Amino acid sequence: MIRLLALSLAALAVACASLPASAQPVVRAPAGTLSGEALDGVDAFRGIPYAEAPTGWRRWKPPAELAPWRGVREAVAFGPACHQPVARGASIYAPVEAPRMSEDCLSLNVWRPQGAEKAPVFVWIHGGSLMSGSGSEAMYDGARMAASQGMVVVTINYRLGVLGWLAHPELSAESRRNVSGNYGLMDQIAALQWVKANIAAFGGDPDAVTIAGESAGALSVMYLMASPEARGLFHRAIAQSAYMISTPELRSRRYGDVPAEGLGFWLQGRLGLAGVAGMRAMDAQELTVAAQQAGYAPFGTIDGAWLPEQLVTVFDRGEQAPVPILAGFNDGEIRSLRFLIPPAPPTDAAAYEAAIRERYGDLAETFLRLYPADDIPESLMATQRDGLYGWTAERLARGQTRSGQNAWLYFFDHGYPAADEAGLHAFHAAEIPYVFSAMDKLPPRWPVPPDTAEERALSDAMMAYWGAFARTGVPTAPGQPDWPAYGATEAYMLFDGTPQPGRDLMPGMFEMQEAVVCRRVRVGGIPWNWNFGVIAPTPPPAAAGCP
């Protein structure tokens, strides 16, 4: 009898193992039926194709819509990353090994609370200078955020580097709109269109979508806010360490940047290829690496269609998406991005002050008060931090407030032993593990926060603030201080061990940086990207309407 019972139990185990469909969550979406993986209170669906990336001889075209698939598609493994250079050296951002890559890389991943109904949707756009990264990076795992915040979390891939952002006269001639570039942005918009059409099947609310990203992901958030093609596809925005730099225009160098089509033509020549056909004939990874080594850097293109104007101009006119925003930056942004520090800067106070007076004119005394000569290395890092990230975060808060939307500003100044000892206090992207509760999912060289109650409490608070903003448009956290809207008092939240509300972050910083950019915009011919401080160009004179 016992032997018979044992045989029966063994047969039952074999039968259960052969029925994965019954153990896996299944979603019947307009795109097709998917089976995912059941986790602890969360269902995960990975590697879902949202569009087809044109490849090879069809390279550099808008993403192609996919027909609904038949049958049940298994969605338990991440899709391949888009082509990107393999990270080398000792970068804290480098993964353990190069990801699996393909040109046909347009997939997304969904984590949903089990039993979700009309849950808010949080769409994460990865950073990486528009050149690297993927939605499958361990640090962006959405399971904990989905479980603790009751949200459907989505991460996406989009085309990178030369394959995602190249403009060229021949490509423009192929386009019915006579434009080129911005293919990665087209991918992001296609992903949001997929979310709008399909996310209800996962229990998400297509009318409560928050787009969020850090660094190039936050730059992408601004592109999406500025793009008429993305209007109505999202309802809130989060921009972590965004940078509102000048952007190449398709055929003009109105603000000093090389025209995007000209840059594409230059790259073709550097690679020794015969037109676009030669670049389409190259292996995708070889082309990606060769373009980077030639000095090609990917950016959006002001083409009058997908990106109608410079971001600064769009926000000045109030033409950006009318949505609430949460934006901020980190104290030590440049500590992990030291290549942004000017080469061979002045090392003594007199030379530093002379360089600033030469380059800032009537704004020099204000500049030296903010970035003094008594600690030149720190001032160099603070100059680049504020010119790129600090000014942008506050400009976003001011712009949305002016347009009648609520805006929430933060400043991340949290240190912990491993980061501080490495000279990386509050470095670029240091806040991401706290937002995702991902301290155990970091790249191998990332300074690891200690596993303490204080660190977990800060992570819980930040995740709760971000989650509440995605649910309601107002960031709140149980047992934590109220986060005041930026508003007329220029309020912000400091994250330094614990959340601490404050007012008037870095007095005078925004006004000085805004004066510089405003004059460059009005006068023309000068970009506003990395050229601040001792590498600033000759200062333009005060212009009408500028401080």
mmCIF file of all heavy atoms in Angstrom, residues 348-387:
data_model
loop_
_atom_site.group_PDB
_atom_site.id
_atom_site.type_symbol
_atom_site.label_atom_id
_atom_site.label_comp_id
_atom_site.label_asym_id
_atom_site.label_seq_id
_atom_site.Cartn_x
_atom_site.Cartn_y
_atom_site.Cartn_z
ATOM 1 N N ASP A 348 45.457 77.436 -9.402
ATOM 2 C CA ASP A 348 45.635 78.410 -8.323
ATOM 3 C C ASP A 348 44.505 79.434 -8.385
ATOM 4 O O ASP A 348 43.906 79.659 -9.447
ATOM 5 C CB ASP A 348 47.000 79.093 -8.400
ATOM 6 C CG ASP A 348 47.134 79.975 -9.632
ATOM 7 O OD1 ASP A 348 46.730 81.154 -9.568
ATOM 8 O OD2 ASP A 348 47.602 79.466 -10.672
ATOM 9 N N ALA A 349 44.231 80.044 -7.257
ATOM 10 C CA ALA A 349 43.058 80.908 -7.124
ATOM 11 C C ALA A 349 43.082 82.074 -8.103
ATOM 12 O O ALA A 349 42.051 82.401 -8.714
ATOM 13 C CB ALA A 349 42.954 81.416 -5.691
ATOM 14 N N ALA A 350 44.233 82.708 -8.278
ATOM 15 C CA ALA A 350 44.299 83.888 -9.136
ATOM 16 C C ALA A 350 43.976 83.531 -10.582
ATOM 17 O O ALA A 350 43.210 84.230 -11.264
ATOM 18 C CB ALA A 350 45.687 84.522 -9.041
ATOM 19 N N ALA A 351 44.540 82.426 -11.075
ATOM 20 C CA ALA A 351 44.285 82.020 -12.461
ATOM 21 C C ALA A 351 42.818 81.610 -12.645
ATOM 22 O O ALA A 351 42.197 81.905 -13.678
ATOM 23 C CB ALA A 351 45.205 80.874 -12.854
ATOM 24 N N TYR A 352 42.273 80.927 -11.645
ATOM 25 C CA TYR A 352 40.870 80.507 -11.713
ATOM 26 C C TYR A 352 39.959 81.724 -11.773
ATOM 27 O O TYR A 352 39.061 81.817 -12.636
ATOM 28 C CB TYR A 352 40.550 79.633 -10.503
ATOM 29 C CG TYR A 352 39.089 79.252 -10.361
ATOM 30 C CD1 TYR A 352 38.552 78.185 -11.077
ATOM 31 C CD2 TYR A 352 38.242 79.945 -9.490
ATOM 32 C CE1 TYR A 352 37.221 77.829 -10.937
ATOM 33 C CE2 TYR A 352 36.913 79.598 -9.339
ATOM 34 C CZ TYR A 352 36.407 78.537 -10.067
ATOM 35 O OH TYR A 352 35.084 78.189 -9.924
ATOM 36 N N GLU A 353 40.177 82.676 -10.889
ATOM 37 C CA GLU A 353 39.332 83.870 -10.864
ATOM 38 C C GLU A 353 39.474 84.682 -12.138
ATOM 39 O O GLU A 353 38.487 85.202 -12.669
ATOM 40 C CB GLU A 353 39.667 84.718 -9.637
ATOM 41 C CG GLU A 353 39.247 84.061 -8.329
ATOM 42 C CD GLU A 353 39.509 84.948 -7.118
ATOM 43 O OE1 GLU A 353 40.011 86.089 -7.318
ATOM 44 O OE2 GLU A 353 39.218 84.511 -5.990
ATOM 45 N N ALA A 354 40.672 84.756 -12.673
ATOM 46 C CA ALA A 354 40.881 85.495 -13.929
ATOM 47 C C ALA A 354 40.131 84.823 -15.078
ATOM 48 O O ALA A 354 39.518 85.496 -15.922
ATOM 49 C CB ALA A 354 42.372 85.583 -14.239
ATOM 50 N N ALA A 355 40.169 83.484 -15.116
ATOM 51 C CA ALA A 355 39.464 82.759 -16.184
ATOM 52 C C ALA A 355 37.961 82.986 -16.091
ATOM 53 O O ALA A 355 37.283 83.185 -17.107
ATOM 54 C CB ALA A 355 39.781 81.269 -16.101
ATOM 55 N N ILE A 356 37.432 82.985 -14.884
ATOM 56 C CA ILE A 356 35.989 83.179 -14.716
ATOM 57 C C ILE A 356 35.591 84.608 -15.088
ATOM 58 O O ILE A 356 34.572 84.829 -15.766
ATOM 59 C CB ILE A 356 35.559 82.857 -13.267
ATOM 60 C CG1 ILE A 356 35.780 81.358 -12.970
ATOM 61 C CG2 ILE A 356 34.114 83.248 -13.038
ATOM 62 C CD1 ILE A 356 35.065 80.420 -13.913
ATOM 63 N N ARG A 357 36.384 85.586 -14.704
ATOM 64 C CA ARG A 357 36.044 86.979 -15.051
ATOM 65 C C ARG A 357 36.097 87.189 -16.564
ATOM 66 O O ARG A 357 35.275 87.920 -17.129
ATOM 67 C CB ARG A 357 36.988 87.934 -14.327
ATOM 68 C CG ARG A 357 36.730 87.993 -12.831
ATOM 69 C CD ARG A 357 37.404 89.192 -12.168
ATOM 70 N NE ARG A 357 36.962 89.306 -10.784
ATOM 71 C CZ ARG A 357 37.585 88.756 -9.742
ATOM 72 N NH1 ARG A 357 38.706 88.064 -9.950
ATOM 73 N NH2 ARG A 357 37.105 88.891 -8.520
ATOM 74 N N GLU A 358 37.039 86.527 -17.207
ATOM 75 C CA GLU A 358 37.130 86.649 -18.664
ATOM 76 C C GLU A 358 35.919 86.023 -19.341
ATOM 77 O O GLU A 358 35.416 86.539 -20.351
ATOM 78 C CB GLU A 358 38.410 85.963 -19.157
ATOM 79 C CG GLU A 358 38.570 85.978 -20.672
ATOM 80 C CD GLU A 358 39.771 85.179 -21.133
ATOM 81 O OE1 GLU A 358 40.538 84.692 -20.275
ATOM 82 O OE2 GLU A 358 39.932 85.016 -22.359
ATOM 83 N N ARG A 359 35.418 84.937 -18.789
ATOM 84 C CA ARG A 359 34.391 84.163 -19.467
ATOM 85 C C ARG A 359 32.972 84.499 -19.009
ATOM 86 O O ARG A 359 32.016 84.116 -19.686
ATOM 87 C CB ARG A 359 34.663 82.671 -19.270
ATOM 88 C CG ARG A 359 35.965 82.234 -19.928
ATOM 89 C CD ARG A 359 36.349 80.808 -19.565
ATOM 90 N NE ARG A 359 37.644 80.459 -20.159
ATOM 91 C CZ ARG A 359 37.810 80.031 -21.402
ATOM 92 N NH1 ARG A 359 36.758 79.912 -22.196
ATOM 93 N NH2 ARG A 359 39.002 79.737 -21.856
ATOM 94 N N TYR A 360 32.822 85.209 -17.898
ATOM 95 C CA TYR A 360 31.481 85.479 -17.386
ATOM 96 C C TYR A 360 31.143 86.961 -17.292
ATOM 97 O O TYR A 360 29.998 87.312 -16.988
ATOM 98 C CB TYR A 360 31.281 84.770 -16.031
ATOM 99 C CG TYR A 360 30.921 83.310 -16.226
ATOM 100 C CD1 TYR A 360 31.912 82.374 -16.501
ATOM 101 C CD2 TYR A 360 29.603 82.878 -16.184
ATOM 102 C CE1 TYR A 360 31.598 81.049 -16.723
ATOM 103 C CE2 TYR A 360 29.276 81.556 -16.397
ATOM 104 C CZ TYR A 360 30.268 80.640 -16.673
ATOM 105 O OH TYR A 360 29.944 79.325 -16.899
ATOM 106 N N GLY A 361 32.099 87.833 -17.526
ATOM 107 C CA GLY A 361 31.785 89.251 -17.597
ATOM 108 C C GLY A 361 31.035 89.763 -16.386
ATOM 109 O O GLY A 361 31.470 89.582 -15.240
ATOM 110 N N ASP A 362 29.868 90.378 -16.624
ATOM 111 C CA ASP A 362 29.107 90.977 -15.531
ATOM 112 C C ASP A 362 28.517 89.941 -14.578
ATOM 113 O O ASP A 362 28.046 90.291 -13.493
ATOM 114 C CB ASP A 362 27.988 91.852 -16.095
ATOM 115 C CG ASP A 362 26.992 91.056 -16.904
ATOM 116 O OD1 ASP A 362 27.393 90.419 -17.894
ATOM 117 O OD2 ASP A 362 25.796 91.065 -16.549
ATOM 118 N N LEU A 363 28.565 88.666 -14.948
ATOM 119 C CA LEU A 363 28.065 87.602 -14.064
ATOM 120 C C LEU A 363 29.186 86.955 -13.243
ATOM 121 O O LEU A 363 28.922 86.051 -12.447
ATOM 122 C CB LEU A 363 27.377 86.515 -14.895
ATOM 123 C CG LEU A 363 26.137 86.946 -15.695
ATOM 124 C CD1 LEU A 363 25.684 85.818 -16.601
ATOM 125 C CD2 LEU A 363 25.012 87.375 -14.763
ATOM 126 N N ALA A 364 30.423 87.441 -13.413
ATOM 127 C CA ALA A 364 31.568 86.762 -12.808
ATOM 128 C C ALA A 364 31.526 86.773 -11.289
ATOM 129 O O ALA A 364 31.819 85.750 -10.647
ATOM 130 C CB ALA A 364 32.874 87.389 -13.298
ATOM 131 N N GLU A 365 31.178 87.899 -10.694
ATOM 132 C CA GLU A 365 31.177 87.965 -9.224
ATOM 133 C C GLU A 365 30.144 87.013 -8.642
ATOM 134 O O GLU A 365 30.386 86.354 -7.620
ATOM 135 C CB GLU A 365 30.929 89.395 -8.755
ATOM 136 C CG GLU A 365 32.067 90.358 -9.106
ATOM 137 C CD GLU A 365 33.427 89.857 -8.618
ATOM 138 O OE1 GLU A 365 33.502 89.340 -7.476
ATOM 139 O OE2 GLU A 365 34.408 89.975 -9.372
ATOM 140 N N THR A 366 28.970 86.930 -9.285
ATOM 141 C CA THR A 366 27.962 85.980 -8.823
ATOM 142 C C THR A 366 28.480 84.560 -8.967
ATOM 143 O O THR A 366 28.320 83.727 -8.059
ATOM 144 C CB THR A 366 26.667 86.143 -9.638
ATOM 145 O OG1 THR A 366 26.196 87.477 -9.485
ATOM 146 C CG2 THR A 366 25.608 85.155 -9.190
ATOM 147 N N PHE A 367 29.111 84.259 -10.098
ATOM 148 C CA PHE A 367 29.663 82.924 -10.315
ATOM 149 C C PHE A 367 30.685 82.581 -9.228
ATOM 150 O O PHE A 367 30.646 81.478 -8.645
ATOM 151 C CB PHE A 367 30.309 82.851 -11.700
ATOM 152 C CG PHE A 367 30.794 81.470 -12.067
ATOM 153 C CD1 PHE A 367 30.071 80.680 -12.927
ATOM 154 C CD2 PHE A 367 31.992 80.971 -11.542
ATOM 155 C CE1 PHE A 367 30.515 79.400 -13.269
ATOM 156 C CE2 PHE A 367 32.437 79.703 -11.869
ATOM 157 C CZ PHE A 367 31.700 78.913 -12.739
ATOM 158 N N LEU A 368 31.600 83.493 -8.929
ATOM 159 C CA LEU A 368 32.649 83.215 -7.948
ATOM 160 C C LEU A 368 32.103 83.077 -6.534
ATOM 161 O O LEU A 368 32.688 82.384 -5.702
ATOM 162 C CB LEU A 368 33.719 84.299 -8.016
ATOM 163 C CG LEU A 368 34.582 84.277 -9.290
ATOM 164 C CD1 LEU A 368 35.413 85.538 -9.399
ATOM 165 C CD2 LEU A 368 35.468 83.030 -9.316
ATOM 166 N N ARG A 369 30.992 83.721 -6.275
ATOM 167 C CA ARG A 369 30.359 83.525 -4.962
ATOM 168 C C ARG A 369 29.791 82.111 -4.844
ATOM 169 O O ARG A 369 29.881 81.475 -3.789
ATOM 170 C CB ARG A 369 29.251 84.559 -4.766
ATOM 171 C CG ARG A 369 28.469 84.377 -3.457
ATOM 172 C CD ARG A 369 27.463 85.494 -3.244
ATOM 173 N NE ARG A 369 26.539 85.617 -4.363
ATOM 174 C CZ ARG A 369 25.469 84.819 -4.535
ATOM 175 N NH1 ARG A 369 25.234 83.838 -3.681
ATOM 176 N NH2 ARG A 369 24.655 85.012 -5.558
ATOM 177 N N LEU A 370 29.239 81.604 -5.944
ATOM 178 C CA LEU A 370 28.653 80.264 -5.937
ATOM 179 C C LEU A 370 29.715 79.175 -6.051
ATOM 180 O O LEU A 370 29.584 78.097 -5.460
ATOM 181 C CB LEU A 370 27.665 80.125 -7.102
ATOM 182 C CG LEU A 370 26.397 80.985 -7.021
ATOM 183 C CD1 LEU A 370 25.682 80.994 -8.363
ATOM 184 C CD2 LEU A 370 25.478 80.470 -5.928
ATOM 185 N N TYR A 371 30.768 79.439 -6.814
ATOM 186 C CA TYR A 371 31.800 78.441 -7.092
ATOM 187 C C TYR A 371 33.158 79.079 -6.829
ATOM 188 O O TYR A 371 33.904 79.436 -7.753
ATOM 189 C CB TYR A 371 31.686 77.956 -8.545
ATOM 190 C CG TYR A 371 30.261 77.599 -8.920
ATOM 191 C CD1 TYR A 371 29.508 78.447 -9.741
ATOM 192 C CD2 TYR A 371 29.650 76.447 -8.422
ATOM 193 C CE1 TYR A 371 28.194 78.144 -10.062
ATOM 194 C CE2 TYR A 371 28.338 76.132 -8.739
ATOM 195 C CZ TYR A 371 27.610 76.992 -9.556
ATOM 196 O OH TYR A 371 26.319 76.689 -9.862
ATOM 197 N N PRO A 372 33.527 79.245 -5.557
ATOM 198 C CA PRO A 372 34.692 80.053 -5.186
ATOM 199 C C PRO A 372 36.022 79.362 -5.484
ATOM 200 O O PRO A 372 36.095 78.153 -5.724
ATOM 201 C CB PRO A 372 34.502 80.250 -3.682
ATOM 202 C CG PRO A 372 33.684 79.079 -3.249
ATOM 203 C CD PRO A 372 32.771 78.765 -4.384
ATOM 204 N N ALA A 373 37.078 80.175 -5.411
ATOM 205 C CA ALA A 373 38.424 79.692 -5.718
ATOM 206 C C ALA A 373 39.091 79.021 -4.532
ATOM 207 O O ALA A 373 40.204 78.496 -4.681
ATOM 208 C CB ALA A 373 39.287 80.868 -6.193
ATOM 209 N N ASP A 374 38.454 78.977 -3.376
ATOM 210 C CA ASP A 374 39.132 78.401 -2.210
ATOM 211 C C ASP A 374 39.143 76.871 -2.239
ATOM 212 O O ASP A 374 39.855 76.236 -1.460
ATOM 213 C CB ASP A 374 38.512 78.902 -0.902
ATOM 214 C CG ASP A 374 37.022 78.637 -0.813
ATOM 215 O OD1 ASP A 374 36.458 78.020 -1.743
ATOM 216 O OD2 ASP A 374 36.400 79.063 0.176
ATOM 217 N N ASP A 375 38.352 76.247 -3.103
ATOM 218 C CA ASP A 375 38.404 74.798 -3.296
ATOM 219 C C ASP A 375 38.082 74.528 -4.765
ATOM 220 O O ASP A 375 36.955 74.184 -5.129
ATOM 221 C CB ASP A 375 37.414 74.071 -2.383
ATOM 222 C CG ASP A 375 37.653 72.561 -2.348
ATOM 223 O OD1 ASP A 375 38.277 72.040 -3.300
ATOM 224 O OD2 ASP A 375 37.222 71.906 -1.379
ATOM 225 N N ILE A 376 39.073 74.707 -5.618
ATOM 226 C CA ILE A 376 38.847 74.653 -7.069
ATOM 227 C C ILE A 376 38.317 73.294 -7.526
ATOM 228 O O ILE A 376 37.368 73.244 -8.318
ATOM 229 C CB ILE A 376 40.129 75.045 -7.822
ATOM 230 C CG1 ILE A 376 40.443 76.530 -7.567
ATOM 231 C CG2 ILE A 376 39.988 74.793 -9.323
ATOM 232 C CD1 ILE A 376 41.762 76.987 -8.142
ATOM 233 N N PRO A 377 38.855 72.158 -7.051
ATOM 234 C CA PRO A 377 38.297 70.863 -7.504
ATOM 235 C C PRO A 377 36.807 70.728 -7.215
ATOM 236 O O PRO A 377 36.039 70.260 -8.065
ATOM 237 C CB PRO A 377 39.126 69.834 -6.734
ATOM 238 C CG PRO A 377 40.436 70.521 -6.490
ATOM 239 C CD PRO A 377 40.066 71.953 -6.232
ATOM 240 N N GLU A 378 36.396 71.148 -6.008
ATOM 241 C CA GLU A 378 34.967 71.057 -5.678
ATOM 242 C C GLU A 378 34.149 72.025 -6.524
ATOM 243 O O GLU A 378 33.037 71.702 -6.974
ATOM 244 C CB GLU A 378 34.752 71.332 -4.194
ATOM 245 C CG GLU A 378 35.202 70.215 -3.282
ATOM 246 C CD GLU A 378 34.415 68.929 -3.498
ATOM 247 O OE1 GLU A 378 33.178 68.993 -3.630
ATOM 248 O OE2 GLU A 378 35.048 67.857 -3.559
ATOM 249 N N SER A 379 34.668 73.220 -6.752
ATOM 250 C CA SER A 379 33.942 74.200 -7.556
ATOM 251 C C SER A 379 33.799 73.731 -9.001
ATOM 252 O O SER A 379 32.765 73.967 -9.639
ATOM 253 C CB SER A 379 34.642 75.558 -7.501
ATOM 254 O OG SER A 379 34.453 76.160 -6.237
ATOM 255 N N LEU A 380 34.826 73.070 -9.536
ATOM 256 C CA LEU A 380 34.732 72.553 -10.905
ATOM 257 C C LEU A 380 33.621 71.523 -11.014
ATOM 258 O O LEU A 380 32.847 71.518 -11.983
ATOM 259 C CB LEU A 380 36.066 71.948 -11.327
ATOM 260 C CG LEU A 380 37.236 72.922 -11.507
ATOM 261 C CD1 LEU A 380 38.542 72.146 -11.707
ATOM 262 C CD2 LEU A 380 36.985 73.852 -12.687
ATOM 263 N N MET A 381 33.521 70.627 -10.030
ATOM 264 C CA MET A 381 32.469 69.615 -10.065
ATOM 265 C C MET A 381 31.098 70.243 -9.855
ATOM 266 O O MET A 381 30.120 69.877 -10.529
ATOM 267 C CB MET A 381 32.737 68.532 -9.013
ATOM 268 C CG MET A 381 33.872 67.594 -9.396
ATOM 269 S SD MET A 381 34.003 66.125 -8.358
ATOM 270 C CE MET A 381 34.647 66.855 -6.846
ATOM 271 N N ALA A 382 31.007 71.204 -8.934
ATOM 272 C CA ALA A 382 29.716 71.844 -8.682
ATOM 273 C C ALA A 382 29.246 72.650 -9.888
ATOM 274 O O ALA A 382 28.050 72.708 -10.185
ATOM 275 C CB ALA A 382 29.820 72.743 -7.444
ATOM 276 N N THR A 383 30.180 73.270 -10.596
ATOM 277 C CA THR A 383 29.820 74.040 -11.791
ATOM 278 C C THR A 383 29.150 73.156 -12.831
ATOM 279 O O THR A 383 28.098 73.486 -13.375
ATOM 280 C CB THR A 383 31.074 74.688 -12.403
ATOM 281 O OG1 THR A 383 31.607 75.627 -11.479
ATOM 282 C CG2 THR A 383 30.736 75.400 -13.701
ATOM 283 N N GLN A 384 29.774 71.996 -13.124
ATOM 284 C CA GLN A 384 29.198 71.095 -14.115
ATOM 285 C C GLN A 384 27.898 70.469 -13.611
ATOM 286 O O GLN A 384 26.939 70.303 -14.368
ATOM 287 C CB GLN A 384 30.207 70.005 -14.478
ATOM 288 C CG GLN A 384 31.455 70.522 -15.190
ATOM 289 C CD GLN A 384 31.121 71.210 -16.510
ATOM 290 O OE1 GLN A 384 31.041 72.429 -16.577
ATOM 291 N NE2 GLN A 384 30.920 70.443 -17.555
ATOM 292 N N ARG A 385 27.873 70.122 -12.337
ATOM 293 C CA ARG A 385 26.633 69.573 -11.764
ATOM 294 C C ARG A 385 25.465 70.518 -11.959
ATOM 295 O O ARG A 385 24.397 70.138 -12.444
ATOM 296 C CB ARG A 385 26.841 69.312 -10.267
ATOM 297 C CG ARG A 385 25.587 68.837 -9.527
ATOM 298 C CD ARG A 385 25.725 69.033 -8.032
ATOM 299 N NE ARG A 385 25.799 70.453 -7.667
ATOM 300 C CZ ARG A 385 26.290 70.909 -6.524
ATOM 301 N NH1 ARG A 385 26.795 70.065 -5.627
ATOM 302 N NH2 ARG A 385 26.310 72.203 -6.279
ATOM 303 N N ASP A 386 25.669 71.773 -11.611
ATOM 304 C CA ASP A 386 24.558 72.729 -11.660
ATOM 305 C C ASP A 386 24.231 73.163 -13.087
ATOM 306 O O ASP A 386 23.060 73.362 -13.419
ATOM 307 C CB ASP A 386 24.891 73.950 -10.804
ATOM 308 C CG ASP A 386 25.039 73.593 -9.325
ATOM 309 O OD1 ASP A 386 24.630 72.480 -8.956
ATOM 310 O OD2 ASP A 386 25.581 74.418 -8.570
ATOM 311 N N GLY A 387 25.273 73.298 -13.929
ATOM 312 C CA GLY A 387 25.011 73.691 -15.305
ATOM 313 C C GLY A 387 24.219 72.651 -16.064
ATOM 314 O O GLY A 387 23.427 72.984 -16.958
#
